[in-house]
Amino acid sequence: MSFLRRLWYLSALVLRVALLVERVTAQTGPSGDTCPDGLVTINSQKDADLIQNCTTIDGSIALGSSVTGAIRLDGIETITGSIRCNYISELAALSSDSLQTIGGDLSLINTGMSAGVYGSADYYLQDVRFPALKAVSGINFTGTVFTGQLYLGDDLQNVSSVTISGFPYSPFPSLNISSIEGTLSITNNDDVSSFEFDLLKSAGNVYISNNYGNTPFGLNVSFPNLTDVGNMTIQGIGNISLPALGEVNGSLEFSENRLLREINLPSLGGAGNLLIKNNSNLTTVTATQMKYLWSTAELNASCDAFALEPTKGLHIEDNPCLSVIQGLDRLKLASVVYLAGNISSVSLPGFDNVPTFTDYLCLATSVSGFNCGPFEDRWKNQTIKNDILCQTPQGTYTQNASERTQTSGRPAQPSNVISNSANHSEKSVGVGAGVGVGIGVPVVLALIYLIDRSRRRRRQLATKHETERFLPEEGGAAAAGELQGHDNRPRLSELYGGGELRRSGAEASIDADAIRPMELDSPRRPPSELPVQEKAHELEG
């Protein structure tokens, strides 16, 4: 019994030792070094060397603010969390030749900037290099300077987000990213001359704002291969290149670009809505392939509402140098067309013919003599289906959907519109007269038809009554049968004499020379003096 008890204790001890060995092995590299999990803080290259034999770090790596010089993270292939380098003024370089996957973000915030003079050696961060990197969730470079090379692999895909903000150096290195699932945000980079995303093909959202650049022409942004994006907002730049952009699923906005002169979207086929607003020097907008702006307006909307919330259809407003709206030749579907500013002419040939789909057209121009007539015609032929407002210095022309079914009156105008009363009086009279004529003529014709029909009915009844009155009692039925038979009725030549009546098929004519006008003009005999047949014919005459 004692032997069995000792054997049981020995087995339990062996099991505990095996479990302990397994746990230690899981946390050590091939050489026996311990591989930590959770948050790993590195304050020097010596700390980084302690984990170089760990292929996987189950957690995140954070560089301490006291780090100086270069940090290499060689040997590590996967970090399940993030790499954080925040507020490190004297970091010279960060690299890893082996790192392939970062489960979280690569974050460098206010790093590499000492208190020295810009452009001097005090800006320490030279290179950020991860040549083997294949996947990273997010990239955040905020207030960080790269005076050398930024290299994050050859082709990063499905990056959740990329943020580049406050970059005080020019130019920004190219990022080899082909797809961004979330948002690409480029903001507050006043000292950068250009951003180039040569490989980027798709993005969930692109937001570019307040980047005026360090040149007289402003920041230049290039997306040579970007084909589709969820939403795109472009603000505070000088030039943008989007030669391959074919579709924007949501909103496409160009606003507050004081240096932007041209918007050229040669491949764009459609977007949810297109907003172009407050671009001080913009002179040209071209999207020759664009057919659809598919965001829809709410029922019972108004031009006032679209001014406050410009998120539907085509909205071009307050671009003082953009006086001619053209270059949108194929556009034929836009729930709202809102145009306001120094507009002298509008060319939207895609709206000239039905079928098109436009619910609301709102136009306000400061140019005298602008002609609202073409928009009135498009409303009449229902190219514009609901409301139209055309406001010029001479007055305001309005129509709405209910006007199509009204018989008189003029639709109410937006409360902030002051219209020319003389112009509107003439239009109101014209509309009222047109509606009156359109309804009155059919009514009058119908009344004439009914009166004529009633007279004929009364005449037939009178004829029947008189005929029955003068027919003799004997043979009345036979005489009535003669009256009902067309061929039995006496001819003009038999009653009044005169020329022979000649028939040929459906045509018939009378020999005019044989008619005796004196007998035709003579007074008719009273019915009592006529034979029965002649009485009936005389009453029918």
Side-chain angles (χ1 to χ4, degrees), residues 16-37 53-56:
R16 292 181 64 182
V17 170
L19 291 173
L20 181 61
V21 170
E22 181 181 359
R23 181 178 178 184
V24 171
T25 303
Q27 295 181 352
T28 59
S31 62
D33 298 326
T34 300
C35 295
D37 55 11
N53 293 322
C54 301
T55 57
T56 299

Side-chain angles (χ1 to χ4, degrees), residues 106 126-129 141 146 148-152 172-175:
L106 174 60
Q126 299 290 322
D127 299 320
V128 174
R129 299 185 71 258
F141 298 147
F146 304 98
Q149 186 181 32
L150 173 63
Y151 184 32
L152 302 178
F172 187 86
S174 177
L175 291 173

Side-chain angles (χ1 to χ4, degrees), residues 97-360:
D97 293 334
S98 59
L99 186 60
Q100 299 178 21
T101 303
I102 302 174
D105 297 342
L106 174 60
S107 176
L108 286 83
I109 299 176
N110 294 331
T111 292
M113 299 177 64
S114 70
V117 179
Y118 171 70
S120 69
D122 292 333
Y123 281 76
Y124 285 96
L125 188 56
Q126 299 290 322
D127 299 320
V128 174
R129 299 185 71 258
F130 296 94
L133 190 63
K134 297 179 180 180
V136 60
S137 179
I139 297 172
N140 186 349
F141 298 147
T142 299
T144 297
V145 177
F146 304 98
T147 59
Q149 186 181 32
L150 173 63
Y151 184 32
L152 302 178
D154 294 328
D155 185 5
L156 292 177
Q157 300 181 13
N158 303 322
V159 179
S160 294
S161 63
V162 176
T163 299
I164 303 171
S165 181
F167 188 78
Y169 188 77
S170 182
F172 187 86
S174 177
L175 291 173
N176 296 327
I177 302 175
S178 61
S179 62
I180 299 175
E181 293 182 344
T183 299
L184 169 62
S185 177
I186 303 174
T187 60
N188 302 311
N189 300 284
D190 290 343
D191 295 306
V192 181
S193 61
S194 64
F195 284 96
E196 297 181 0
F197 296 87
D198 295 339
L199 297 183
L200 187 61
K201 297 179 181 180
S202 64
N205 301 285
V206 174
Y207 180 75
I208 302 176
S209 179
N210 298 322
N211 305 276
Y212 291 105
N214 62 355
T215 71
F217 304 104
L219 176 69
N220 178 66
V221 182
S222 176
F223 296 95
N225 293 298
L226 182 64
T227 58
D228 64 272
V229 63
N231 298 280
M232 175 175 279
T233 299
I234 307 298
Q235 298 176 342
I237 67 167
N239 183 62
I240 187 164
S241 176
L242 296 164
L245 183 62
E247 184 175 290
V248 179
N249 295 320
S251 175
L252 176 57
E253 174 182 346
F254 299 86
S255 62
E256 309 296 339
N257 296 286
R258 59 182 174 83
L259 298 175
L260 183 65
R261 297 179 180 274
E262 178 182 11
I263 297 174
N264 185 20
L265 305 167
S267 301
L268 183 65
N273 68 285
L274 175 59
L275 170 62
I276 302 173
K277 184 176 182 179
N278 294 333
N279 302 284
S280 304
N281 290 285
L282 181 66
T283 60
T284 305
V285 175
T286 305
T288 55
Q289 302 299 317
M290 185 173 67
K291 296 181 180 180
Y292 309 109
L293 295 170
W294 47 73
S295 62
T296 57
E298 295 78 7
L299 294 175
N300 301 318
S302 67
C303 291
D304 291 342
F306 301 139
L308 297 175
E309 188 179 358
T311 59
K312 307 296 182 184
L314 176 65
H315 192 113
I316 301 177
E317 180 180 5
D318 292 340
N319 305 283
C321 296
L322 184 64
S323 59
V324 178
I325 307 299
Q326 59 183 5
L328 306 173
D329 297 348
R330 295 193 177 186
L331 181 61
K332 63 179 182 179
L333 185 153
S335 181
V336 177
V337 176
Y338 187 102
L339 309 174
N342 187 34
I343 298 172
S344 60
S345 67
V346 177
S347 176
L348 295 171
F351 289 161
D352 287 344
N353 299 307
V354 177
T356 60
F357 184 81
T358 304
D359 286 327
Y360 300 90

Side-chain angles (χ1 to χ4, degrees), residues 387-460:
D387 296 1
I388 178 174
L389 182 148
C390 185
Q391 181 178 349
T392 71
Q394 290 76 36
T396 302
Y397 171 78
T398 63
Q399 292 281 15
N400 60 35
S402 61
E403 186 75 5
R404 300 188 195 280
T405 58
Q406 290 177 350
T407 58
S408 62
R410 187 176 72 241
Q413 300 176 27
S415 57
N416 64 338
V417 176
I418 300 176
S419 62
N420 185 305
S421 59
N423 290 347
H424 278 292
S425 297
E426 294 175 1
K427 289 182 176 66
S428 179
V429 171
V431 171
V435 173
V437 171
I439 294 179
V441 170
V443 171
V444 171
L445 291 175
L447 289 174
I448 292 174
Y449 171 77
L450 292 174
I451 292 172
D452 181 68
R453 182 179 179 183
S454 177
R455 286 180 177 176
R456 291 183 179 181
R457 179 64 177 169
R458 287 199 300 270
R459 185 180 302 170
Q460 291 175 357

